[in-house]
Each structure stands twice: as structure tokens, then as C-alpha cells.
């Protein structure tokens, strides 16, 4: 005799807030503080850490994909990213910190490679806004993939609060990497699809003899 009992995993997938909010808040705050620490070091040291960002289509600048989200072009750039990074990263941990790490890794790499491939020549791209756009897109579409009304409602609220961010997807604003924003958003959709698909493939494992 076999029974199907997917309810616990389904409920977990449809969560709106992290199951361990204190731990999630600590992760979000720690990452944000790391960004501030890196910027402080960049100000204090005589060198220019921002040169470790993404140099488009230069092999020597490909490692910038790993470092660019940690670097910012001054305090004002970092201040602009602070609230989105804090709030969106916290909400993106609704499926757990492990799932958040996977989603963030996908966004981090895909958005960075996108900038490296089509970013403007002779420029260096830095900043965590690609991550922010990725988390926002992930949160916007996960409810559709999960068929979760609560997550869709949160997506509507986020879209209302940060609708101004959508302008960052369009080219034309000097000093703004729309490439990073677009590929970050696409990576967020990809991450939502992949993680939902992974969950769906594990469902038959709930059959017990």
C-alpha cells in the first residue's frame, strides 16, 4: 500500500516569511554589513578595490563576476542598495537559508556573466543591484510557480513599493548598468523556475510502501 503525503513540503514552499526569521534577519544584516565593511576598506586603502569589478569581455576581468556585488562606487551607491538588499534578501529566505543560498548563487553568477558578455567596453561594473533585481524577480514569480496566493499578494506589494526599480531595466541612464539589472531579473526568474522544478521532482519520494 502506498500513500502520498506532500503537504509538509507544499506548505513550506508556499511560505511568505522565513521559517526562522531571526536567523534570516541575521543573514541579511550580516551581508549588508559586509558590503559596508568592503566599502570602508576601499575608502581607507590607497588602492581602488572597484577595479576588481567586472571588465566586460576581458578575460582578466572575468573574476569580477565573483567580486562585483560586494563593491560599490561610493557611499551613495551603497546607500541606494541598502534597503532593497536588506528587505528582499530577508523575504527570499522564505524557503529556508539553504534555498536562499542556491537562488543567490544563480543570480550572482548569471547576472555577472550577462554584464561581462554585453556590458559596455572599457568600463568596470560594480554593485549589488543585480542581486536586488534578481531577488525581486524571484519573489515576483515564485508565487506563480508555487500557485501560492500569499506569495502572489506579497509580489503585488513589492511591485508597488519598488516599481521605480523597473526603470533600471531600461538603457539610457548614465552610470547605471541596465545589463546587470536585466540579467539579474532574468536570473531571478530562472532561479524560481529551477528551485520549484527541483521541489516538484522530489514529490514522488513522499510515496511510502
Amino acid at each position: 500500500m502506498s500513500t502520498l503525503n506532500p503537504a509538509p513540503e507544499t506548505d513550506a514552499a508556499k511560505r511568505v516569511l522565513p521559517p526562522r526569521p531571526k536567523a534570516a534577519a541575521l543573514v541579511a544584516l550580516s551581508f549588508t554589513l559586509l558590503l559596508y565593511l568592503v566599502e570602508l576598506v576601499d575608502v581607507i586603502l590607497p588602492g581602488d578595490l572597484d577595479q576588481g569589478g567586472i571588465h566586460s569581455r576581458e578575460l582578466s576581468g572575468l573574476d569580477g563576476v565573483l567580486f562585483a556585488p560586494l563593491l560599490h562606487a561610493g557611499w551613495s551607491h551603497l546607500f541606494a542598495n541598502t534597503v532593497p538588499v536588506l528587505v528582499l534578501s530577508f523575504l527570499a529566505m522564505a524557503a529556508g537559508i539553504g534555498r536562499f543560498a542556491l537562488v543567490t548563487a544563480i543570480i550572482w553568477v548569471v547576472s555577472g556573466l550577462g554584464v561581462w558578455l554585453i556590458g559596455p567596453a572599457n568600463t568596470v561594473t560594480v554593485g549589488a543591484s543585480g542581486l536586488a533585481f534578481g531577488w525581486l524577480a524571484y519573489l515576483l514569480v515564485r508565487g506563480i510557480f508555487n500557485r501560492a496566493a500569499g506569495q502572489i499578494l506579497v509580489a503585488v506589494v513589492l511591485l508597488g513599493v519598488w516599481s521605480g526599480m523597473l526603470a533600471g531595466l531600461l538603457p539610457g541612464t548614465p552610470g547605471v548598468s541596465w545589463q546587470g539589472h536585466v540579467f539579474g531579473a532574468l536570473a531571478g526568474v530562472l532561479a524560481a523556475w529551477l528551485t520549484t522544478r527541483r521541489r516538484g521532482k522530489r514529490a514522488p519520494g513522499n510515496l511510502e510502501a
Side-chain angles (χ1 to χ4, degrees), residues 69-193:
L70 302 175
L71 304 169
H72 287 81
W75 291 111
S76 60
H77 185 201
L78 178 54
F79 294 156
N81 283 337
T82 297
V83 173
V85 165
L86 277 171
V87 175
L88 297 176
S89 63
F90 175 79
L91 291 175
M93 286 182 247
I97 294 176
R99 176 67 57 84
F100 168 75
L102 175 60
V103 167
T104 300
I106 293 171
I107 296 169
W108 194 302
V109 173
V110 172
S111 62
L113 289 177
V115 171
W116 186 81
L117 285 171
I118 69 169
N122 303 316
T123 60
V124 182
T125 301
V126 297
S129 56
L131 289 179
F133 271 88
W135 289 326
L136 178 60
Y138 168 77
L139 292 168
L140 290 177
V141 302
R142 64 171 181 170
I144 298 174
F145 292 138
N146 288 327
R147 298 181 178 86
Q151 291 179 348
I152 293 174
L153 179 60
V154 169
V156 172
V157 173
L158 290 174
L159 191 58
V161 172
W162 274 295
S163 58
M165 286 180 63
L166 299 181
L169 298 173
L170 302 175
T173 304
V176 174
S177 174
W178 63 268
Q179 297 92 343
H181 299 167
V182 167
F183 276 94
L186 291 175
V189 174
L190 174 64
W193 179 75

Side-chain angles (χ1 to χ4, degrees), residues 51-65 112-125:
Q51 290 303 310
I54 301 170
H55 298 251
S56 300
R57 294 177 300 284
E58 295 182 18
L59 289 178
S60 60
L62 188 58
D63 57 354
V65 170
L113 289 177
V115 171
W116 186 81
L117 285 171
I118 69 169
N122 303 316
T123 60
V124 182
T125 301

Side-chain angles (χ1 to χ4, degrees), residues 7-90:
E9 187 173 355
T10 300
D11 292 342
K14 294 184 178 182
R15 276 194 300 253
V16 172
L17 296 176
R20 299 168 59 196
K22 290 183 179 180
L26 181 60
V27 171
L29 182 60
S30 297
F31 179 72
T32 305
L33 289 177
L34 174 62
L35 300 182
Y36 275 79
L37 178 60
V38 170
E39 185 60 27
L40 180 62
V41 171
D42 189 25
V43 170
I44 294 175
L45 293 181
D48 185 2
L49 293 183
D50 290 349
Q51 290 303 310
I54 301 170
H55 298 251
S56 300
R57 294 177 300 284
E58 295 182 18
L59 289 178
S60 60
L62 188 58
D63 57 354
V65 170
L66 298 177
F67 305 116
L70 302 175
L71 304 169
H72 287 81
W75 291 111
S76 60
H77 185 201
L78 178 54
F79 294 156
N81 283 337
T82 297
V83 173
V85 165
L86 277 171
V87 175
L88 297 176
S89 63
F90 175 79

